[in-house]
Amino acid sequence: MTATLPAPSRAASRSHAPLSRLVAAELRWVLRRPRTLVVLGLLALIPVAVAIGIAAAGAPESGRGPGLIAQVAGNGFVLPVVALGLALTLLLPLAVASAAADAVAGEAAAGTLRGLLISPVGRMRLVVMKSAGVVTVAVLAVVIIAVVGMVAGTVVVGGPGSLITLSGTTLGFGEALGRIALVATWTVGQLLAVGAVALAISTLTEHPLVVLASVLGGMIVFGVLSAIPALEWLRPLLLTTGLTAGTDVLRDPLPLDGLASSSLRALVYVVVGMTITVVRMRRRDA
């Protein structure tokens, strides 16, 4: 008499875990990592430090003084734009690069990447899962700076709840929030380009510090190349070329050329970086 085997359950027959569960597990791991929390906390201090410095300096009138910093005096809604611009030069890219370095190179250094590669997760799902963690860090970092900047600008610097542009016009509360949301969204796009490149580098090495050094070195080299007049033809290809376009939201009417061109450039970097990441992860030996 032949024994009848029980029919396999749906959970047992499933070869892949739901993508939503994988992403949720990755986000829990990323957001519980002490390094991530410390970096986000330090980024939140940037607008606070700028606001305290301006209040302590006691600028007598908005628009008097060097650069955009002087525009913050008595015009608190400029603070998140200035803080995002300052952080985008170095600190925000390093925060995203750190998340990308831990995503693959950090797993390889800890010896846990091999388990992920041989598990029935799928290489494409693994790329999506790791990319979600990098995107989350980028979005959280920008949102924290923008929100803390608005609060610090209102409480410490002061202002009537409106935005005085560099053109001398005054935008209402709703339109000012729209301008801040626009520069925050644009900043996230620039960080996604950095994250995609860092993630691609992370698949090429097992040392997270190599990823951080490559991103930092690349930002410095790009900045030097863009400052050489003889290499003017190279500037449209450099990611750092459009990193100052975010301040265009402080002009009225709003010029979109710089924001659009830098966003398109960032999109190209995202496509190239993610293509390299997918190819490397599909061919990577467990």
Side-chain angles (χ1 to χ4, degrees):
M1 183 176 180
T2 305
T4 303
L5 297 177
S9 64
R10 179 178 302 177
S13 62
R14 180 181 296 162
S15 59
H16 296 290
L19 183 59
S20 58
R21 187 194 304 173
L22 297 175
V23 171
E26 178 71 12
L27 295 185
R28 284 196 299 269
W29 179 77
V30 170
L31 297 180
R32 290 177 180 177
R33 193 166 53 211
R35 181 163 53 252
T36 302
L37 299 178
V38 170
V39 168
L40 294 178
L42 291 176
L43 290 175
L45 294 178
I46 295 177
V48 175
V50 175
I52 293 176
I54 292 173
E61 186 179 349
S62 176
R64 300 286 183 86
L68 285 174
I69 299 296
Q71 299 294 329
V72 183
N75 190 15
F77 272 13
V78 175
L79 182 59
V81 180
V82 173
L84 286 173
L86 292 175
L88 187 57
T89 58
L90 183 61
L91 296 180
L92 280 174
L94 284 183
V96 175
S98 176
D102 288 331
V104 180
E107 295 270 16
T112 55
L113 182 62
R114 185 176 185 274
L116 292 174
L117 293 176
I118 64 177
S119 64
V121 173
R123 299 298 176 91
M124 288 301 299
R125 286 174 169 236
L126 184 59
V127 171
V128 173
M129 180 176 69
K130 294 302 181 181
S131 300
V134 177
V135 172
T136 300
V137 172
V139 173
L140 282 178
V142 172
V143 170
I144 287 174
I145 292 179
V147 172
V148 174
M150 286 190 293
V151 174
T154 302
V155 175
V156 180
V157 179
S162 58
L163 175 64
I164 302 175
T165 67
L166 298 177
S167 305
T169 59
T170 301
L171 305 179
F173 181 78
E175 192 171 358
L177 288 182
R179 296 289 183 97
I180 296 173
L182 176 60
V183 71
T185 303
W186 172 84
T187 304
V188 170
Q190 303 302 305
L191 292 180
L192 293 185
V194 176
V197 174
L199 199 59
I201 299 174
S202 188
T203 62
L204 301 173
T205 180
E206 296 183 355
H207 305 285
L209 289 179
V210 173
V211 182
L212 294 177
S214 299
V215 172
L216 177 59
M219 298 287 289
I220 295 175
V221 171
F222 279 11
V224 172
L225 293 178
S226 63
I228 300 176
L231 298 178
E232 185 73 20
W233 58 272
L234 191 60
R235 293 192 65 189
L237 303 178
L238 304 178
L239 182 60
T240 56
T241 298
L243 292 186
T244 59
T247 57
D248 287 346
V249 301
L250 298 178
R251 306 184 187 279
D252 190 33
L254 175 62
L256 296 176
D257 293 344
L259 295 173
S261 61
S262 57
S263 298
L264 180 60
R265 186 182 303 108
L267 178 60
V268 173
Y269 274 85
V270 169
V271 172
V272 173
M274 293 309 300
T275 300
I276 296 174
T277 300
V278 170
V279 171
R280 283 289 303 165
M281 292 301 293
R282 289 178 66 90
R283 295 182 178 179
R284 186 155 188 160
D285 188 3

